[in-house]
Amino acid sequence: MIGGLFIYNHKGEVLISRVYRDDIGRNAVDAFRVNVIHARQQVRSPVTNIARTSFFHVKRSNIWLAAVTKQNVNAAMVFEFLYKMCDVMTAYFGKISEENIKNNFVLIYELLDEILDFGYPQNSETGALKTFITQQGIKSQTKEEQSQITSQVTGQIGWRREGIKYRRNELFLDVLESVNLLMSPQGQVLSAHVSGRVVMKSYLSGMPECKFGMNDKIVIEKQGKGTADETGKSELGSGKQSIAIDDCTFHQCVRLSKFDSERSISFIPPDGEFELMRYRTTKDIILPFRVIPLVREVGRTKLEVKVVIKSNFKPSLLAQKIEVRIPTPLNTSGVQVICMKGKAKYKASENAIVWKIKRMAGMKESQISAEIELLPTNDKKKWARPPISMNFEVPFAPSGLKVQSRVDVRGTHPMPWREEDEKGTGAADTVSSPSGWSESCTEKPGGDIGRCHLGRQDDRRGWPGGHEHT
Amino acid sequence: MTDSKYFTTTKKGEIFELKAELNSDKKEKKKEAVKKVIASMTVGKDVSALFPDVVNCMQTDNLELKKLVYLYLMNYAKSQPDMAIMAVNTFVKDCEDPNPLIRALAVRTMGCIRVDKITEYLCEPLRKCLKDEDPYVRKTAAVCVAKLHDINAQLVEDQGFLDTLKDLISDSNPMVVANAVAALSEIAESHPSSNLLDLNPQSINKLLTALNECTEWGQIFILDCLANYMPKDDREAQSICERVTPRLSHANSAVVLSAVKVLMKFMEMLSKDLDYYGTLLKKLAPPLVTLLSAEPELQYVALRNINLIVQKRPEILKHEMKVFFVKYNDPIYVKLEKLDIMIRLASQANIAQVLAELKEYATEVDVDFVRKAVRAIGRCAIKVEQSAERCVSTLLDLIQTKVNYVVQEAIVVIKDIFRKYPNKYESVIATLCENLDSLDEPEARAAMIWIVGEYAERIDNADELLESFLEGFHDESTQVQLQLLTAIVKLFLKKPTETQELVQQVLSLATQDSDNPDLRDRGYIYWRLLSTDPVAAKEVVLAEKPLISEETDLIEPTLLDELICYIGTLASVYHKPPSAFVEGSRGVLHKGLPPRTGSIEGPESPDTAPSGEPAADQPSVIPTQGDLLGDLLNLDLGPPVTGPPMATSTVPMGAVDLLGGGLDSLMGDESEGLRSDVGGSPAIGGSGSFTAAPSSTAPTNVGAPLGSGLGDLFDLTAGVGTLSGSYVAPKTVWLPAMKAKGLEISGTFSRQVGSISMDLVLTNKALQVMSDFAIQFNRNSFGLAPAAPLQVHAPLAPNQSVEISLPLNTVGSVMKMDPLNNLQVAVKNNIDVFYFSTLYPLHILFVEDGKMERQMFLATWKDIPNENETQFQIKDCSLNADAVSSKLQGSNIFTIAKRNVEGQDMLYQSLKLTNGIWVLAELRIQPSNPSFMDLELSLKCRAPEVSQYIYQAYETILKN
């Protein structure tokens, strides 16, 4: 198991050092600094073995977190733990920076004592931790409070504390999809997949039992076979609107065995924001935009770039907050941009032209042209030609995913719902979403479900192949 | 006010000030002071002088302060054990606190203080906490048992904590269960023999139930524990798999990988015809692909594991090639791993896509990545024959780019392509020759020289080209020198008239002006060959070469099976067994996959423990060249009689590798002088220089230098081997470095042409030089004793190993040991004397004249009373009667007669031990199924106590 955990600043100075096992000595702290942080070359592996001691590291901005061990530990677990540790710290004091870590070192030691015992990760859900690791020192807790804390920390629902009350019960759902696209220099799509995340912000009272539905092919097939009175069937049963999800993973609050047997996603959510699920699809992806780049080299010191984007969805729909990022060579000395729509700017610090368009309707086209001046260099190192990428929000998901959400509140705490919400105990709030997604959203009283689809499209071969940049 | 100020106090007299503050009456000031102390501790300053003052602050109701003091205690208690006692009272009191958080904190901290006196006081509170009403305390106490075990294992056993811990597996709280499982697994690891984690269907059921309820970390502990379980039949395996499968959808990648491990392992037991087997295969692919959307560090871990899974079960991911395409913003370590997997998945169906990708990668920025991409193109050509042409033209395109390292890498792989498809692509040679001058890496130069030598008759100016290399002969690396020597000899044999001068020049350079024994020896061999019999020389040097094989860098199957059992762990990331990087006893326990069962009839033989690894221990498949080479070098004898190495004689590279070892033994037999001239150490005589080549191309590099034809020589040595060498077990570690102040000894026993030897490898893992080695044996059952002193010629520097073959005789003093073949050894060096004991296989004592006359045999058989007869079973032997007979003969077990009774072969055999004991055997061979035989062995001997060991020897010989 994990033998020790160290946090360093960018210079390799130790900010936090916590040793859990006797086989890890102080010299391990220095070994990592010398061999990894101060190593001249780029990091070649996140796992380093120095003198029979293994170091796992992750970096957050310029802070290094390293877990050390001399045993054959579960490597995946160590990394998952390090990420979790970052999440917990962020939840407590915000951005992970040298300043914040130094300011909170007592808290961090306290956390490390709690979430890692003899190198074994323990409950690390922020919701639970915040009930008893506070920065106020000891609060005088009653016996009930104490046992409530311990039962929650060790309980089956370790991610949520009891007795949460909201005046207004709200649930927000964001579907964030990122389209990964691989195109040949001829513009042919080699592979495309959507990796999506469903992010939920829940502000619900009590211990709400939630069900989450989507137009997943297997579910719909199952429903078709099952009871005829299912509401979903009439709308979505046609099969045309269903999508084939290749795979999905869930937050630990989701009952996996139930998903495995019934394909139903049921859970008691943590309080606040969390990622409910991730999914991946490869079939029938709607590409909301096409990006067509043209690059011409004019002599050794000048490049002409023209990028056309075409929106590829129904004209009645609107895409928003479109941002196209066009990388420029490292030896760029100046850029002149002309665009018909939106605003474009060359950002020297990011080595890119950033082009922003507020909205764009479907089946439209827009273009930008730029002249890039280059400094003559002798540098033989080639420019890596990063891909053009774009970010946008569209009122549909490129994967075709649609959400039906159902929130049941069962028994646990009748009072909070009775007061604020007419729907009362056991009320169901079902939102089915036909393509006119945004309309159904605004019509809903209380605005309890808000959502948007944030898309991201990376066109890896933004630059046509065979183009030499020196 | 922020806490960061504590990091900046660097005043003089700081300790004094802190001392004063710690003893202040004001609580706030005290707390501030402790914070300062902890900050100093963090940055590595020694604040142990403040021990009593800090401990004084421990009695407080401020939990934050208490935790800080505990943190300090954990760090310094060991250096101040007497003072640490001061803290005991508070701990014991805290363990009784009404607040469960404080009880848990006390027991948690106490377990981290490694001071004997405190440990004593820990037992009572721990016992109470293990049965505490609060689950939070119990889960903390469970881990504390593991801590205590690490400090004092005996104490834990004596106090009965292990039983209490076992009870916690049935606890009502899932987190308590998970921590108990984790603690028990860890303790069990250091007691491989104990049946601590007594897993049975009932306890497995409990674990599977807890799996659905506990935290993500708990799920990992439980899954990792489940993976060690051996289901009793395929139905149980299937039902566990069914209950583990839902974990594949967990957001935590470690949970997913641990579930994959359980499934991969138990799948081994399922019949391939089962519908469920196919379902499971399909279910495994999507989660593995999803792991590639995780953060890069996890992707790396996942990819290293996928690399293993793809080798073990290629069918799982065969349609998923595209997901391994490299993304622009992947970190370099992810890119390199993806590339590796792409090559493994390359097939005729997807080769066009793969090649297009690889070509793209070859123009990337990172040099390592580009090199690997170029090599990958070569490997595709070798793997998928239909693509070879396209690969070659892609490589030619890349050579045209004139990027130096691309060109060199391309030439190295083109050489491999020539070795796979000889005489097919010579048209490219002209292009290659154009780039001769730009080659500055030894590997590329050697490859180019090999090509010139191999195709000398088609290159008009081959002599000029080779001559140009000869000018700087002594500055070249060994690899290039050897290659040049061979190439020029080849050239001479092809065009003798024009190149006589050249060949003389190179031979004299190699034999007279070089200090390198490899080079010199090869020079001499060529010289003698050429001078005695040029026709033979031609046959030898220009003989047709076997083709190189497709998959060159596969992990050896036994290791692969072991690594599959370690999916998700560091071992799977390093692709090494845990013993290679874990110190001490942990991880030495060898894991293996369960045997495939349609119907399990119980353990294979009475002697194999059910938890053993029947499939894993027998190298049924050709070992990789690297291993083979290593083995032969280590053993320094002709290839063993038995299966695997013989099989490699048909494997191209094997043949040439063997020369290193084989030649030595040849020469050793003929002239002692020449051998010592080589330098005494077989490692030098062999192919030491070749092993330095990167493993991915090792086979071809090794193969190429020696050229051809010498395979004949190998056959010769193989012949010698059959007559004289008995089976030699692989070396095992006898004395771990931990126990001998850094000296590690591993070894094995062998018998060759009547002499027994103990082949040792001494490795110095300490930091100082070791010298003055000596060895002594204790009295033993057969009077084994060293026939010569242990000779280590030079002092052993740190991190060096030396291989020694110690001749043994059997004239030492005799004392019956238990077990009979136990040997106690003492080794001395300048540091200390170390003792270890080992078991020697009895067949090293079987003498060469153990063949009894037929009549004599019959008489003796009757003469020995029936109660002296013992019977044994050897199951699932893959050999028929003749093979058995010849295999045993290699180890001096002689077949006297063979009969066929009712379709069963009966062999009558005899053998004699060094002390003159005769053993007679009747071996009944009956087919158990089409490909396997069951052997029934009856042994008769006047000293029946040896029978069991004779049986073990039989089994070892026949199963290896």
Side-chain angles (χ1 to χ4, degrees):
Chain A
M1 283 306 115
I2 298 173
L5 212 140
F6 307 127
I7 302 181
Y8 301 85
N9 66 7
H10 66 287
K11 285 185 253 170
E13 291 164 358
V14 196
L15 304 178
I16 298 286
S17 121
R18 175 73 163 91
V19 173
Y20 293 93
R21 297 256 172 172
D22 200 39
D23 54 5
I24 301 300
R26 182 85 201 174
N27 52 358
V29 182
D30 304 322
F32 183 76
R33 177 191 14 251
V34 172
N35 289 290
V36 181
I37 301 183
H38 290 172
R40 290 227 182 94
Q41 54 177 158
Q42 182 194 4
V43 173
R44 296 312 257 196
S45 161
V47 186
T48 322
N49 192 316
I50 308 162
R52 292 207 154 208
T53 310
S54 299
F55 295 82
F56 300 76
H57 75 265
V58 299
K59 250 187 118 175
R60 289 289 179 271
S61 60
N62 53 12
I63 298 295
W64 299 73
L65 283 93
V68 192
T69 183
K70 282 206 162 184
Q71 297 172 25
N72 182 32
V73 297
N74 188 321
M77 185 186 80
V78 176
F79 280 123
E80 283 284 4
F81 177 79
L82 287 174
Y83 301 143
K84 191 64 158 206
M85 162 97 202
C86 293
D87 290 349
V88 171
M89 289 197 291
T90 314
Y92 267 96
F93 52 76
K95 192 172 170 275
I96 294 177
S97 63
E98 181 171 353
E99 197 55 31
N100 276 346
I101 287 174
K102 281 184 170 175
N103 279 335
N104 292 284
F105 82 98
V106 174
L107 169 75
I108 294 173
Y109 276 126
E110 202 174 338
L111 285 170
L112 280 176
D113 196 41
E114 187 57 45
I115 59 179
L116 211 53
D117 189 5
F118 201 39
Y120 290 105
Q122 305 292 307
N123 192 335
S124 45
E125 288 299 317
T126 337
L129 290 172
K130 280 194 171 171
T131 58
F132 68 106
I133 296 189
T134 55
Q135 284 161 289
Q136 274 95 53
I138 194 160
K139 280 188 290 185
S140 57
Q141 294 152 321
T142 63
K143 209 164 179 215
E144 289 80 67
E145 278 173 338
Q146 286 164 8
S147 72
Q148 202 190 325
I149 290 172
T150 57
S151 80
Q152 198 218 323
V153 174
T154 59
Q156 291 184 24
I157 306 163
W159 53 87
R160 187 181 179 90
R161 68 192 158 88
E162 293 200 19
I164 298 173
K165 285 179 205 166
Y166 284 101
R167 272 185 61 76
R168 223 175 132 91
N169 284 292
E170 289 179 308
L171 190 66
F172 298 91
L173 211 62
D174 278 345
V175 176
L176 302 150
E177 294 200 330
S178 130
V179 183
N180 268 291
L181 187 66
L182 185 56
M183 277 169 92
S184 73
Q186 289 76 37
Q188 179 196 3
V189 176
L190 291 177
S191 82
H193 75 263
V194 169
S195 48
R197 303 188 299 139
V198 177
V199 177
M200 209 172 230
K201 278 181 208 151
S202 80
Y203 305 104
L204 301 170
S205 311
M207 284 287 180
E209 183 75 33
C210 301
K211 268 192 172 175
F212 176 82
M214 54 190 176
N215 57 337
D216 170 21
K217 213 175 210 165
I218 301 171
V219 179
I220 286 155
E221 275 163 15
K222 268 204 174 153
Q223 284 172 345
K225 271 183 250 157
T227 49
D229 60 318
E230 278 286 344
T231 47
K233 200 201 166 193
S234 53
E235 286 174 52
L236 298 162
S238 62
K240 219 179 178 182
Q241 291 189 32
S242 64
I243 62 159
I245 286 185
D246 287 22
D247 188 39
C248 43
T249 59
F250 298 99
H251 186 267
Q252 64 166 323
C253 66
V254 176
R255 296 184 186 89
L256 293 180
S257 39
K258 213 161 176 190
F259 176 75
D260 194 57
S261 55
E262 302 164 22
R263 280 299 261 208
S264 79
I265 305 168
S266 65
F267 56 96
I268 294 171
D271 196 42
E273 184 173 337
F274 72 103
E275 188 180 288
L276 177 68
M277 70 176 285
R278 282 180 183 222
Y279 58 91
R280 191 165 50 78
T281 69
T282 44
K283 293 191 189 69
D284 304 323
I285 294 164
I286 315 150
L287 296 174
F289 289 97
R290 289 222 79 158
V291 178
I292 304 145
L294 285 168
V295 182
R296 206 159 66 91
E297 218 169 342
V298 190
R300 288 186 60 82
T301 56
K302 202 167 158 190
L303 272 180
E304 281 180 9
V305 181
K306 196 167 105 179
V307 176
V308 181
I309 58 169
K310 287 183 183 167
S311 57
N312 194 25
F313 44 87
K314 274 195 225 159
S316 58
L317 300 177
L318 268 183
Q320 297 189 55
K321 296 184 190 166
I322 301 155
E323 186 188 295
V324 183
R325 184 170 285 265
I326 306 161
T328 53
L330 301 174
N331 54 340
T332 303
S333 61
V335 176
Q336 270 144 15
V337 227
I338 311 156
C339 57
M340 304 188 298
K341 219 178 163 200
K343 281 180 187 164
K345 218 178 185 179
Y346 166 64
K347 292 194 174 167
S349 59
E350 294 165 43
N351 279 314
I353 301 166
V354 179
W355 177 26
K356 287 181 179 169
I357 305 170
K358 273 189 186 141
R359 33 187 99 69
M360 186 169 176
M363 304 315 271
K364 287 267 161 53
E365 194 179 303
S366 191
Q367 75 165 23
I368 183 172
S369 34
E371 273 187 22
I372 301 172
E373 308 265 350
L374 301 174
L375 289 172
T377 54
N378 300 326
D379 201 356
K380 274 209 164 176
K381 217 177 155 191
K382 276 192 296 177
W383 179 46
R385 288 186 298 169
I388 295 176
S389 65
M390 67 186 291
N391 281 294
F392 49 84
E393 286 177 21
V394 283
F396 62 90
S399 65
L401 181 94
K402 278 159 196 166
V403 175
Q404 314 160 263
S405 175
R406 180 185 173 86
V407 185
D408 292 337
V409 182
R410 293 228 175 80
T412 44
H413 274 262
M415 51 155 217
W417 278 79
R418 202 173 42 216
E419 283 171 15
E420 279 90 30
D421 206 300
E422 284 87 355
K423 287 170 199 120
T425 312
D429 165 27
T430 310
V431 180
S432 65
S433 47
S435 54
W437 179 237
S438 44
E439 293 158 31
S440 87
C441 162
T442 47
E443 275 165 23
K444 221 54 205 166
D448 51 356
I449 294 195
R451 69 201 86 63
C452 62
H453 293 283
L454 302 176
R456 189 181 149 76
Q457 202 168 317
D458 277 336
D459 185 346
R460 199 188 77 184
R461 297 275 164 73
W463 298 100
H467 197 91
E468 278 289 334
H469 297 274
T470 42
Chain B
M1 203 166 64
T2 63
D3 283 352
S4 59
K5 63 174 188 289
Y6 301 120
F7 282 88
T8 50
T9 46
T10 47
K11 285 175 278 175
K12 267 189 185 169
E14 189 190 354
I15 297 276
F16 284 104
E17 251 172 59
L18 279 172
K19 210 176 177 84
E21 286 175 36
L22 283 169
N23 291 316
S24 152
D25 296 333
K26 285 182 196 144
K27 273 190 181 171
E28 254 331 283
K29 207 156 195 186
K30 258 189 187 177
K31 197 165 134 189
E32 294 291 292
V34 177
K35 280 188 184 178
K36 277 185 206 161
V37 173
I38 300 291
S40 311
M41 194 176 89
T42 299
V43 296
K45 276 184 221 156
D46 182 14
V47 282
S48 59
L50 296 167
F51 200 89
D53 311 279
V54 176
V55 172
N56 272 338
C57 303
M58 194 170 162
Q59 285 271 15
T60 170
D61 52 358
N62 185 319
L63 197 56
E64 193 186 4
L65 179 57
K66 194 183 271 279
K67 284 181 177 173
L68 287 174
V69 176
Y70 281 0
L71 191 64
Y72 179 90
L73 265 175
M74 286 187 264
N75 253 319
Y76 288 115
K78 218 177 155 186
S79 59
Q80 312 245 350
D82 295 328
M83 302 265 235
I85 278 297
M86 290 161 56
V88 164
N89 268 336
T90 321
F91 278 127
V92 175
K93 214 174 100 206
D94 278 359
C95 287
E96 306 275 339
D97 198 279
N99 186 341
L101 292 171
I102 295 195
R103 291 203 296 277
L105 177 66
V107 79
R108 184 166 68 214
T109 312
M110 245 175 132
C112 296
I113 296 178
R114 305 176 65 94
V115 173
D116 285 341
K117 283 175 193 155
I118 293 208
T119 316
E120 283 164 30
Y121 285 98
L122 174 61
C123 291
E124 277 322 301
L126 177 59
R127 197 186 315 282
K128 269 188 212 150
C129 288
L130 280 167
K131 301 204 161 133
D132 200 284
E133 52 169 22
D134 195 292
Y136 183 78
V137 181
R138 289 203 301 279
K139 71 112 185 163
T140 312
V143 176
C144 191
V145 176
K147 293 179 189 169
L148 188 58
H149 186 271
D150 193 38
I151 305 171
N152 189 342
Q154 196 57 43
L155 187 70
V156 171
E157 280 167 43
D158 295 346
Q159 296 277 335
F161 286 138
L162 293 180
D163 292 323
T164 326
L165 198 54
K166 276 190 210 165
D167 294 342
L168 288 184
I169 290 196
S170 313
D171 199 278
S172 58
N173 184 294
M175 197 156 177
V176 178
V177 178
N179 277 2
V181 167
L184 276 174
S185 305
E186 176 165 344
I187 295 171
E189 226 174 271
S190 54
H191 289 283
S193 52
S194 77
N195 201 14
L196 200 55
L197 264 170
D198 178 27
L199 296 175
N200 53 50
Q202 287 77 39
S203 58
I204 290 291
N205 196 33
K206 276 179 203 152
L207 292 183
L208 285 167
T209 312
L211 188 60
N212 288 325
E213 293 166 351
C214 60
T215 64
E216 46 193 330
W217 314 116
Q219 297 184 18
I220 299 169
F221 306 154
I222 291 178
L223 287 168
D224 284 352
C225 171
L226 273 180
N228 291 326
Y229 177 61
M230 192 72 67
K232 63 177 189 308
D233 55 28
D234 50 341
R235 284 171 60 191
E236 195 189 359
Q238 178 174 345
S239 89
I240 296 176
C241 287
E242 278 165 359
R243 293 177 69 179
V244 166
T245 327
R247 299 298 123 199
L248 294 176
S249 307
H250 203 288
N252 186 315
S253 308
V255 175
V256 177
L257 269 176
S258 290
V260 168
K261 165 165 59 189
V262 174
L263 297 175
M264 282 294 286
K265 206 176 159 190
F266 290 3
M267 220 169 163
E268 200 71 13
M269 295 182 70
L270 301 176
S271 155
K272 285 194 173 167
D273 316 324
L274 222 58
D275 285 346
Y276 182 69
Y277 180 84
T279 321
L280 201 53
L281 274 186
K282 274 195 208 112
K283 277 194 175 169
L284 274 171
L288 287 174
V289 173
T290 299
L291 290 176
L292 300 185
S293 337
E295 289 84 347
E297 292 88 2
L298 267 174
Q299 278 189 53
Y300 174 73
V301 173
L303 285 164
R304 294 292 286 173
N305 279 287
I306 289 172
N307 199 328
L308 297 173
I309 293 168
V310 164
Q311 289 184 56
K312 182 72 193 166
R313 298 196 181 278
E315 62 270 32
I316 295 178
L317 288 166
K318 67 178 173 204
H319 299 303
E320 302 287 353
M321 170 61 87
K322 281 182 181 175
V323 299
F324 296 104
F325 285 178
V326 168
K327 286 188 196 151
Y328 163 75
N329 49 356
D330 282 337
I332 183 67
Y333 49 82
V334 168
K335 286 185 177 171
L336 291 171
E337 291 307 316
K338 280 188 172 173
L339 191 51
D340 230 17
I341 294 169
M342 279 173 67
I343 303 163
R344 295 203 193 285
L345 291 177
S347 66
Q348 207 185 329
N350 56 25
I351 194 74
Q353 275 180 341
V354 174
L355 267 182
E357 281 292 303
L358 292 177
K359 196 175 174 186
E360 197 74 27
Y361 302 163
T363 60
E364 284 246 7
V365 184
D366 188 283
V367 177
D368 282 353
F369 183 59
V370 170
R371 282 175 182 273
K372 198 161 180 172
V374 176
R375 286 207 181 213
I377 297 175
R379 275 170 68 188
C380 284
I382 291 163
K383 199 173 169 191
V384 185
E385 187 163 358
Q386 292 80 355
S387 75
E389 187 133 10
R390 217 166 346 165
C391 293
V392 171
S393 75
T394 308
L395 288 169
L396 282 180
D397 287 350
L398 290 173
I399 289 177
Q400 298 304 346
T401 63
K402 302 275 176 196
V403 178
N404 191 277
Y405 54 85
V406 175
V407 173
Q408 309 211 37
E409 212 62 43
I411 285 179
V412 172
V413 298
I414 286 181
K415 177 208 67 185
D416 291 349
I417 294 175
F418 280 143
R419 286 178 46 85
K420 172 77 180 175
Y421 311 107
N423 304 326
K424 211 165 164 193
Y425 301 106
E426 305 107 59
S427 52
V428 308
I429 293 176
T431 323
L432 302 185
C433 290
E434 285 167 20
N435 292 286
L436 212 61
D437 299 334
S438 65
L439 308 179
D440 53 11
E441 290 161 21
E443 205 187 345
R445 287 173 81 87
M448 191 65 223
I449 294 169
W450 181 84
I451 293 171
V452 174
E454 192 62 23
Y455 294 93
E457 68 273 30
R458 296 179 217 176
I459 305 171
D460 292 337
N461 58 344
D463 50 344
E464 284 168 35
L465 293 177
L466 292 177
E467 199 170 1
S468 70
F469 281 103
L470 209 54
E471 281 160 20
F473 189 78
H474 289 297
D475 303 327
E476 299 283 3
S477 75
T478 315
Q479 193 184 9
V480 180
Q481 289 176 334
L482 287 167
Q483 203 55 261
L484 197 51
L485 171 61
T486 306
I488 292 179
V489 172
K490 282 185 196 166
L491 174 67
F492 171 70
L493 288 168
K494 286 174 180 175
K495 302 179 183 171
T497 45
E498 307 135 52
T499 55
Q500 203 158 1
E501 205 174 310
L502 195 61
V503 81
Q504 269 166 359
Q505 203 181 339
V506 77
L507 285 175
S508 87
L509 277 171
T511 54
Q512 284 157 27
D513 301 342
S514 169
D515 302 332
N516 184 323
D518 271 356
L519 188 62
R520 197 170 38 178
D521 288 354
R522 199 189 287 186
Y524 275 124
I525 294 171
Y526 283 143
W527 202 324
R528 303 238 162 105
L529 260 176
L530 292 173
S531 56
T532 46
D533 190 351
V535 181
K538 204 160 185 169
E539 272 171 31
V540 169
V541 180
L542 299 181
E544 193 147 317
K545 274 166 293 300
L547 303 180
I548 60 170
S549 73
E550 298 179 1
E551 292 286 351
T552 48
D553 62 340
L554 289 178
I555 295 177
E556 198 207 333
T558 14
L559 178 60
L560 181 62
D561 282 356
E562 192 182 353
L563 291 179
I564 290 287
C565 301
Y566 287 114
I567 283 178
T569 69
L570 263 181
S572 70
V573 173
Y574 293 147
H575 289 184
K576 282 179 192 161
S579 52
F581 58 91
V582 176
E583 271 169 18
S585 59
R586 279 180 213 281
V588 172
L589 185 67
H590 180 78
K591 288 193 189 182
L593 289 176
R596 184 173 296 279
T597 54
S599 55
I600 297 189
E601 295 164 356
E604 289 212 336
S605 72
D607 277 24
T608 8
S611 62
E613 40 291 323
D617 264 352
Q618 286 140 31
S620 55
V621 193
I622 304 160
T624 60
Q625 288 69 37
D627 288 295
L628 183 61
L629 183 67
D631 278 343
L632 288 169
L633 286 175
N634 291 345
L635 298 178
D636 185 28
L637 47 75
V641 205
T642 48
M646 284 298 275
T648 49
S649 62
T650 58
V651 173
M653 316 74 176
V656 190
D657 294 351
L658 290 167
L659 188 64
L663 209 57
D664 255 7
S665 66
L666 262 186
M667 292 179 162
D669 288 341
E670 284 162 16
S671 84
E672 210 43 52
L674 186 55
R675 183 173 196 171
S676 60
D677 185 42
V678 170
S681 158
I684 301 174
S687 327
S689 56
F690 303 155
T691 47
S695 64
S696 62
T697 52
T700 45
N701 297 333
V702 171
L706 272 183
S708 55
L710 296 169
D712 292 346
L713 282 176
F714 161 68
D715 284 342
L716 203 76
T717 42
V720 174
T722 329
L723 292 176
S724 62
S726 66
Y727 168 73
V728 180
K731 288 199 177 76
T732 46
V733 175
W734 286 340
L735 181 67
M738 289 278 284
K739 286 196 182 156
K741 302 187 180 164
L743 173 67
E744 188 188 72
I745 300 181
S746 55
T748 185
F749 293 93
S750 64
R751 182 184 184 92
Q752 218 189 338
V753 211
S755 59
I756 308 170
S757 57
M758 186 175 186
D759 301 319
L760 295 166
V761 177
L762 309 182
T763 309
N764 181 354
K765 295 197 170 167
L767 293 173
Q768 53 175 313
V769 174
M770 293 180 179
S771 60
D772 306 325
F773 287 93
I775 194 164
Q776 243 175 25
F777 292 179
N778 198 354
R779 286 190 290 171
N780 55 70
S781 315
F782 292 94
L784 277 177
L790 184 67
Q791 291 197 327
V792 182
H793 292 294
L796 198 54
N799 280 325
Q800 258 194 0
S801 315
V802 61
E803 293 177 36
I804 300 157
S805 180
L806 179 72
L808 306 182
N809 58 32
T810 51
V811 298
S813 38
V814 176
M815 180 174 75
K816 195 168 166 192
M817 303 291 290
D818 186 42
L820 208 60
N821 55 345
N822 192 7
L823 179 66
Q824 295 174 336
V825 183
V827 170
K828 184 184 86 74
N829 63 11
N830 59 332
I831 298 169
D832 206 342
V833 184
F834 312 105
Y835 303 92
F836 64 91
S837 69
T838 175
L839 299 176
Y840 49 90
L842 221 59
H843 66 257
I844 60 163
L845 301 172
F846 299 173
V847 294
E848 275 69 19
D849 59 347
K851 185 161 186 171
M852 218 176 227
E853 288 298 326
R854 282 179 92 116
Q855 295 304 322
M856 183 73 176
F857 182 88
L858 285 172
T860 319
W861 185 271
K862 280 182 195 150
D863 202 34
I864 299 177
N866 275 343
E867 55 267 29
N868 277 9
E869 184 172 346
T870 5
Q871 298 204 328
F872 301 94
Q873 292 267 329
I874 301 171
K875 289 217 167 187
D876 296 337
C877 176
S878 56
L879 305 168
N880 62 20
D882 290 333
V884 166
S885 173
S886 68
K887 203 167 179 182
L888 291 173
Q889 179 143 359
S891 297
N892 296 337
I893 300 174
F894 299 93
T895 305
I896 292 157
K898 181 183 161 190
R899 274 203 304 167
N900 191 302
V901 185
E902 294 159 8
Q904 295 177 357
D905 283 321
M906 310 274 282
L907 296 179
Y908 295 93
Q909 301 178 316
S910 73
L911 61 93
K912 192 169 101 179
L913 297 174
T914 44
N915 56 359
I917 296 178
W918 284 92
V919 181
L920 310 187
E922 182 195 55
L923 196 59
R924 182 194 296 265
I925 301 172
Q926 44 199 167
S928 61
N929 65 42
S931 52
F932 287 103
M933 308 284 177
D934 280 351
L935 307 186
E936 207 181 300
L937 179 67
S938 303
L939 294 175
K940 261 192 169 184
C941 175
R942 288 188 203 279
E945 58 267 43
V946 302
S947 297
Q948 192 200 340
Y949 302 97
I950 303 280
Y951 154 67
Q952 282 171 6
Y954 260 90
E955 186 163 63
T956 327
I957 297 165
L958 289 176
K959 294 228 162 152
N960 286 292

